[in-house]
Amino acid sequence: MNYTGLKALELAKLIREKQITSKEVTMGFIERIKQKNVKLNAFVNEEFEGAIKTAENCDNILAIGGKELSPLFGVPIALKANMCSEGTKVTCCSKILENYISPYDATVVEKIKKAGMPILGKCNMDEFAMGSSTENSVNGPSLNPWDNSRIPGGSSGGSSVAVAAGLSPLALGSDTGGSIRQPAACCGVVGLKPTYGRVSRYGLVAFASSLDQIGPFSGDIEDNAALLEIIAGYDKRDSTSINKEVPAYSKYLNKSLKGMKIAMPKEYFIKGGLAPDVLEALNSSVEIFKKLGAEFEQVSLPHTEYCLATYYIIATAEASSNLARYDGVHYGYRKKDSKSLIEMMTKSRAEGFGNEVKRRIMLGTYVLSAGYYDAYYLKAQKVRTLIKRDFDRVFEKFDCVLTPTTPASAFKLGEKILDPIQMYLSDIFTISANLAGVPAISLPCGLSDNKLPVGLQLIGKPFMEGELFTLAHAFEKAYGWKNTVNTEV
Amino acid sequence: MITREDVEHVAVLSQMKLKEQDYILFTKQLEEMLKFVEKLKEVNTDDIEPTASVIPLKNVVREDIMAASFDRDIALMNAPDKDFGHFKIPKIME
């Protein structure tokens, strides 16, 4: 039987009812990875042995009548290659970490293991999560399963391809400026960036610490809610995680949208800023929301046009500091036969990092350096305050903000790789949620003229992921998205 | 305007020994990126507090109690070079 078209919660139910075993399901996905991954390049580290062992364990627990099992017990999952999992390679798709074996589990990985979910392996990404297409990966790009000549989005592109192409029912990604939502939109799956502080970042290789957040990829909203419930929560090992109870997100599904107020920021719909087919899909989606009882109003988020510049100062500054640790001393790539410590460090870093990472370290170092700190870094932090205030003001009156996830559907491989600023512009609609620290979800809402998925983004109030699920779930049921590539032979 | 000397200085601060073609490429690209972020100068930020983090960060303290951490072998398992239970690096003085 082919399980790859089934959703994670359906698989969990079949496993719990002993109609199939976790091992059969896991082997099914492993088979599909073996068939498809050579081309799609979604997985960069296959961890099949460990996955099968976990699945067998699950089946043993079920055989003896295990109680209080997690809602996704026995269902396999994939990780992004920047998440630490004990005894496995965590490369961040960088040469500098090509041989790094993690000595410990990230908190999310600990939680996934505790929930009895076999880990199939690690997924491709732009090096250190810097990019929007996976083309910055030392392992080469992943391919979009809807059109193999196109990018899957990034940086968590491998995770989105894994779920879209039916190589894994679920995956985790990380999102610093759109790295979960943009690839979710490009590949026609659901991707959530939770509120900053909702999910522990302990064991996530840091890129920009005030923006990074881990979140779930899934085929639909129900699966996404179930997975968030497993990974969310306070962790004393991450001082930015927040001690706030994790709600039962499934309780937010199947609710009416009557009286819910959705804001449409005019700055996200300006003429020329959006492909016509994306705009058309968005307009049809708004009609669906209206039929479901939601109320719409146009609003202004006046500092929107400054988000990208603010982001590229803050994110690169934080990255330059976070990536200072890769010096060839304790772990990672070391240039052999160096005559001095400085030579070893400067050559290890120059040879170990790819160009995009170097570029960002350099920009970040520049904006933090003496004489430029106030003009760039401090200025960006102040503009960040104004961007956050824009959202605070809108959320006084509205439950969420609706925008496109991306300005256009997936672009061609190679199209933007030589022009960093063009590449950065593909994240123009997703960056604001990271700067403001608020949750945002992308879900499929239509097809472009060339039959590629189009994503819709809902941005919510801090810690109101539940409300986002309410809105997204009602829309999903009314719209009836069909993934046609997850069972494709 | 960013000069070749600026890029060389930033490369030193970033601890990266770049190749000749990188200096040429990065001078051009950093110039473009800085021009792009110049946009922020338009925004009036007088009397605006900077946001370093969206959540109120406070120092997290704990009792200073001994607890187990990594074994030495595990801490050293990714070391590019080691000797006698220590990380080994090239000479730092003659």
Side-chain angles (χ1 to χ4, degrees), chain A residues 99-104 196 210 239-240 242 303 305-306 308-310 313 328-332 334 338-342 344-347 349-350 353 355 358-359 361-363 365-366 369 376 378-386 388-389 418 420-421 424 435-437, chain B residues 1-2 6-19 22-23 25-26 29-30 32-34 36-45 47-58 60 70 74-81 87-92 94:
Chain A
N99 294 316
Y100 179 73
I101 309 259
S102 177
Y104 71 105
Y196 185 77
S210 81
S239 60
T240 62
I242 294 197
H303 296 92
E305 62 173 309
Y306 303 108
L308 202 57
T310 305
I313 292 174
V329 173
H330 302 97
Y331 52 84
R334 177 186 290 192
S338 301
K339 285 174 195 67
S340 71
L341 183 65
I342 293 293
M344 181 205 85
M345 287 181 181
T346 54
K347 285 191 174 165
R349 285 167 66 77
F353 290 133
N355 262 359
K358 282 183 201 158
R359 210 159 22 236
I361 290 174
M362 304 262 291
L363 181 64
T365 303
Y366 183 83
S369 65
Y376 290 106
L378 192 64
K379 181 78 183 181
Q381 286 190 317
K382 288 180 176 177
V383 179
R384 186 177 185 181
T385 304
L386 296 171
K388 187 173 178 297
R389 280 187 196 167
L418 294 175
I421 291 177
Y424 300 168
L435 290 169
Chain B
M1 182 67 194
I2 193 156
D6 291 330
V7 175
E8 281 173 7
H9 177 59
V10 172
V12 169
L13 294 177
S14 311
Q15 297 275 26
M16 293 192 289
K17 176 122 192 77
L18 300 182
K19 292 203 176 79
D22 294 336
Y23 286 110
L25 180 70
F26 288 152
Q29 288 178 333
L30 285 182
E32 282 165 9
M33 287 159 86
L34 287 167
F36 179 75
V37 302
E38 284 290 299
K39 198 175 177 51
L40 295 188
K41 290 204 170 131
E42 296 166 15
V43 190
N44 181 355
T45 50
D47 307 321
I48 303 291
E49 286 293 311
T51 296
S53 170
V54 289
I55 51 172
L57 281 183
K58 52 179 194 326
V60 180
F70 289 136
I74 291 174
L76 284 166
M77 76 182 195
N78 284 294
D81 198 3
F87 293 102
K88 192 176 173 189
I89 54 168
K91 259 193 236 167
I92 54 169
E94 286 304 318

Side-chain angles (χ1 to χ4, degrees), chain B residues 56-72:
Chain B
L57 281 183
K58 52 179 194 326
N59 206 5
V60 180
V61 292
R62 61 167 174 80
E63 292 299 316
D64 188 16
I65 302 167
M66 266 207 295
S69 60
F70 289 136
D71 283 344
R72 181 182 292 212

Side-chain angles (χ1 to χ4, degrees), chain A residues 77-93:
Chain A
I77 188 169
L79 304 176
K80 187 176 179 177
N82 59 356
M83 295 169 182
C84 288
S85 169
E86 193 182 335
T88 69
K89 271 195 175 183
V90 182
T91 66
C92 288
C93 295

